[in-house]
């Protein structure tokens, strides 16, 4: 019997897969526990629609990520910070602050978890960092920390 899995089932497969299972296993275990449903025309149509929606979502997210990466690549973000004697900052410039400045200056939302800093920024100067928008889509930017 062919069955469409509604949840991950150990040793059978992952959610959304079409699997061939024995009749007894499907009738006595998978179907009563709502782990799978019989692969009839309606179930197959739903499976195809779900796969098409997933592919469309990935395609649109990739296109948006490429567009954002192209717009930000090579650009610089200026951040003003206070410092004590010797040019050491009070605290450090964080990924959150960088994301807020990107939003202000370029009007592009960037998640702070996608900003990859080489280390803590604790002094004035220009520092390089990467933004990982999506799998294989990255942009390299620089942050200029200036005196307030």
């Amino acid at each position: 019997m062919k069955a469409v899995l509604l949840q991950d089932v150990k040793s059978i497969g992952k959610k959304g897969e079409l699997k061939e299972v024995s009749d007894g296993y499907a009738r006595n275990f998978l179907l009563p526990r709502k782990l799978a449903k019989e692969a009839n025309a309606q179930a197959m149509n739903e499976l195809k629609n779900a796969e098409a929606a997933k592919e469309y979502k990935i395609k649109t997210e990739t296109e948006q990520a490429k567009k954002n990466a192209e717009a930000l690549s090579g650009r610089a973000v200026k951040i003003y910070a206070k410092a004590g004697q010797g040019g050491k900052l009070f605290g450090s410039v964080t990924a959150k602050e960088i994301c807020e400045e990107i939003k202000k200056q370029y009007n592009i939302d960037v998640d702070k978890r996608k900003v990859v800093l080489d280390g803590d920024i604790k002094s004035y100067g220009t520092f390089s960092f990467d933004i990982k928008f999506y799998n294989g889509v990255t942009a390299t930017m620089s942050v200029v920390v200036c005196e307030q």
Side-chain angles (χ1 to χ4, degrees), residues 1-6 12 14 16-22 25-26 30-31 35-40 43-44 47:
M1 168 187 280
K2 289 191 182 262
V4 177
L5 299 177
L6 300 175
I12 299 293
K14 302 234 181 246
E17 291 182 350
L18 177 67
K19 291 293 183 174
E20 180 72 36
V21 294
S22 67
Y25 185 64
L30 295 176
L31 297 177
L35 297 174
K37 62 182 171 182
E38 191 175 345
N40 54 21
M44 296 301 294
L47 182 64

Side-chain angles (χ1 to χ4, degrees), residues 9-138:
V9 179
K10 191 174 181 180
S11 76
I12 299 293
K14 302 234 181 246
K15 177 181 179 179
E17 291 182 350
L18 177 67
K19 291 293 183 174
E20 180 72 36
V21 294
S22 67
D23 292 347
Y25 185 64
R27 267 195 317 271
N28 297 321
F29 184 77
L30 295 176
L31 297 177
R33 289 183 170 85
K34 305 230 188 292
L35 297 174
K37 62 182 171 182
E38 191 175 345
N40 54 21
Q42 181 184 0
M44 296 301 294
N45 194 21
E46 289 173 4
L47 182 64
K48 286 180 185 175
N49 288 341
E51 287 176 359
K54 187 176 180 183
E55 287 176 14
Y56 177 75
K57 182 181 177 196
I58 290 172
K59 180 182 169 191
T60 56
E61 285 178 354
T62 305
E63 287 174 0
Q64 184 65 35
K66 285 180 182 177
K67 192 170 91 173
N68 288 345
E70 200 175 286
L72 292 178
S73 191
R75 298 274 179 100
V77 176
K78 253 188 181 179
I79 293 181
Y80 296 96
K82 291 183 182 179
Q85 290 179 338
K88 284 203 143 212
L89 297 180
F90 294 123
S92 64
V93 176
T94 63
K96 182 179 178 184
E97 293 174 24
I98 292 172
C99 291
E100 289 171 356
E101 285 299 316
I102 291 173
K103 175 69 175 164
K104 283 182 193 173
Q105 294 177 18
Y106 301 108
N107 202 24
I108 295 176
D109 281 323
V110 177
D111 188 13
K112 68 180 181 182
R113 294 174 293 226
K114 298 193 186 273
V115 173
V116 180
L117 295 170
D118 293 334
D120 292 338
I121 300 175
K122 295 188 175 195
S123 61
Y124 293 129
T126 304
F127 303 91
S128 173
F129 66 95
D130 290 332
I131 302 173
K132 294 189 177 185
F133 284 105
Y134 208 75
N135 289 344
V137 181
T138 60

